Amino acid sequence: MRPLQMVDTKTQYQKIKKEVDAAVIAVMESSQFIGGKTVSDFAANLATYHGSKHVVPCANGTDALQIAMMALGLKAGDEVITPSFTYIATVEVAALLGIKPIFVEVDPKTFCIDPVIIEKAITPKTKAIVPVHLYGHAADMETIMAIAQKHNLFVIEDNAQAIGNDYAFSNGKVKKTGTIGHIGCTSFYPSKNLGAFGDGGAMFTDDDALAEQLRMIASHGQSKRYYHDVVGCNSRLDAMQAAILDIKLKHLDEYIAARRKAADFYDAAFAGNDQITVPFRAANNTHVFHQYTILLEGASRDALSQFLADKGVPSMIYYPVPAHRQKMFDAFGGSDYHLPVTDWLTERVISLPIHTELDEEQQQFIVSKVLEFLDN
Ligand SMILES: *Cc1c(COP(=O)(O)O)cnc(C)c1O
């Protein structure tokens, strides 16, 4: 059996090595390392895949979120509503711009922002809602968009973990997550479902003017070379990453299918175990399983994690500390929040290895070790 890892980017690379190596060499030979056709071709292909009018590449997912907030004109003193149960980047960029993140609860089933609570958190200072499609499951976008429209708010989707998820509205219309809000943001961090061999990110929008703003801000606020209209930053996807991502994009649906198959295997193996709650899958979206995260009850999570580690099975806690309890947010009144669902989840979640290269032998071993621990 191959050694177990949370994510196996090496085996994945070996399967597409020829294509990837040739593409990287082609970039080196072209010596067009920043911008150029390789980057614009990838952006166009990604836009086609998503059914999105514009894709603006950038340096990473964190930048994408920051540039999105800047492009929408969010500024110091404004408020954005976000979950606390998320990766820190989502809320850190708001704080960096002097925007106050307002943390709300998540739905204990989907782990995504609870739309019922969003409305109660809206104040005259609220400018945007930033839902996170955590672990690959979509937030309740239909309700979130309705709330945003009613209160005239922007929606920035953090789609870093859910690229490729098909979200169906109640009228039957299907859209990819990341293309539903005003701007969608994603990350190509190597372990993400569409991962580069380094850093990368992108922003999605159907709005021409907004796309122009995003493009300008990501490039020192320049409207044309050496003419800088707004304060921006420097955030570029380099050509080598774009070349690699363009190849991996062709395999994305197959990668998602492999992740979903691995999730099915776990679901079946854990069915009926009353100490494990397997990931919830709403019927209206295709969970892309960036993580396979279970809830553990009546057993010590730390003891399970240690037991598994001793048997060569890695596991991770995403995330052990919610955003509102991070020291970073002391200055934003983080400790004043009362978010029992978020706290409850952070104490119980544990993620098992899931990636495109897991085989049944590996999964059987992982499952047998989890169940062996719980039987004791
Ligand atoms: C990975 C991730 C980000 C940040 O992406 P980087 O490319 O690492 O900057 C933001 N939000 C979520 C939910 C993520 O998982």
Side-chain angles (χ1 to χ4, degrees):
M1 188 175 74
R2 274 183 291 126
L4 297 166
Q5 300 173 69
M6 286 306 286
V7 54
D8 185 355
T9 48
K10 191 167 182 176
T11 307
Q12 193 189 55
Y13 163 57
Q14 277 155 359
K15 291 184 178 166
I16 53 170
K17 185 175 180 341
K18 258 190 169 160
E19 263 183 292
V20 166
D21 291 2
V24 169
I25 288 169
V27 171
M28 290 195 281
E29 281 173 349
S30 78
S31 292
Q32 174 101 61
F33 298 117
I34 298 288
K37 192 173 178 321
T38 313
V39 178
S40 56
D41 282 355
F42 166 63
N45 291 335
L46 194 61
T48 303
Y49 175 85
H50 276 85
S52 171
K53 195 162 176 199
H54 303 279
V55 166
V56 180
C58 65
N60 56 66
T62 308
D63 277 6
L65 290 158
Q66 181 183 330
I67 295 164
M69 290 182 195
M70 290 168 78
L72 292 168
L74 272 56
K75 54 185 190 313
D78 290 342
E79 292 178 358
V80 297
I81 295 172
T82 83
S84 173
F85 191 61
T86 180
Y87 181 56
I88 199 69
T90 322
V91 281
E92 181 188 31
V93 295
L96 197 64
L97 297 170
I99 299 162
K100 188 175 182 191
I102 303 294
F103 300 115
V104 302
E105 282 286 28
V106 289
D107 176 326
K109 283 202 309 211
T110 65
F111 306 132
C112 296
I113 196 165
D114 186 338
V116 175
I117 301 170
I118 291 176
E119 248 184 321
K120 296 184 192 137
I122 296 172
T123 75
K125 291 181 180 165
T126 310
K127 290 287 156 57
I129 305 167
V130 188
V132 181
H133 305 306
L134 202 70
Y135 307 145
H137 189 285
D140 179 356
M141 288 308 292
E142 184 155 357
T143 311
I144 292 168
M145 293 311 290
I147 294 168
Q149 195 164 21
K150 182 171 154 199
H151 297 273
N152 203 18
L153 303 174
F154 294 118
V155 175
I156 302 170
E157 293 177 78
D158 183 341
N159 199 37
Q161 301 191 359
I163 196 162
N165 186 325
D166 287 311
Y167 182 93
F169 289 81
S170 47
N171 65 4
K173 194 172 165 128
V174 177
K175 281 187 159 193
K176 295 270 185 214
T177 55
T179 69
I180 302 166
H182 299 86
I183 303 177
C185 298
T186 201
S187 162
F188 305 123
Y189 185 79
S191 64
K192 296 284 154 80
N193 287 20
L194 179 60
F197 288 13
D199 275 311
M203 297 158 287
F204 299 79
T205 187
D206 282 343
D207 183 312
D208 297 344
L210 214 41
E212 202 41 50
Q213 282 296 313
L214 293 170
R215 232 171 240 126
M216 247 173 28
I217 292 167
S219 178
H220 297 294
Q222 68 182 0
S223 51
K224 59 181 183 186
R225 206 156 195 194
Y226 306 128
Y227 288 79
H228 306 271
D229 298 4
V230 294
V231 174
C233 55
N234 172 25
S235 188
R236 302 183 280 235
L237 177 71
D238 71 72
M240 281 208 211
Q241 300 308 333
I244 294 163
L245 287 165
D246 208 27
I247 291 162
K248 292 185 73 175
L249 177 61
K250 291 185 210 130
H251 297 278
L252 182 57
D253 284 341
E254 169 198 314
Y255 289 162
I256 291 170
R259 286 173 178 272
R260 286 174 58 84
K261 185 167 169 246
D264 290 345
F265 185 97
Y266 281 139
D267 279 2
F270 296 138
N273 189 299
D274 58 11
Q275 290 177 285
I276 294 175
T277 305
V278 300
F280 176 76
R281 303 190 203 189
N284 68 350
N285 75 102
T286 53
H287 199 320
V288 293
F289 288 99
H290 175 60
Q291 298 299 341
Y292 185 87
T293 304
I294 57 173
L295 282 173
L296 197 64
E297 273 180 276
S300 160
R301 180 178 66 178
D302 291 346
L304 169 62
S305 177
Q306 189 55 55
F307 178 86
L308 293 175
D310 292 343
K311 312 282 183 214
V313 178
S315 62
M316 287 292 282
I317 311 301
Y318 303 111
Y319 297 91
V321 182
H324 75 284
R325 291 193 182 279
Q326 299 286 354
K327 269 194 202 147
M328 188 196 271
F329 289 113
D330 283 356
F332 288 84
S335 56
D336 299 339
Y337 283 92
H338 178 63
L339 302 174
V341 175
T342 296
D343 287 336
W344 187 83
L345 289 174
T346 41
E347 285 158 18
R348 282 167 185 80
V349 287
I350 179 163
S351 302
L352 299 175
I354 193 158
H355 52 77
T356 58
E357 311 306 317
L358 261 187
D359 61 36
E360 285 204 2
E361 184 192 12
Q362 290 176 309
Q363 278 202 283
Q364 193 54 61
F365 184 80
I366 296 165
V367 163
S368 71
K369 294 303 157 196
V370 172
L371 296 177
E372 187 183 322
F373 173 81
L374 294 179
D375 284 344
N376 286 332

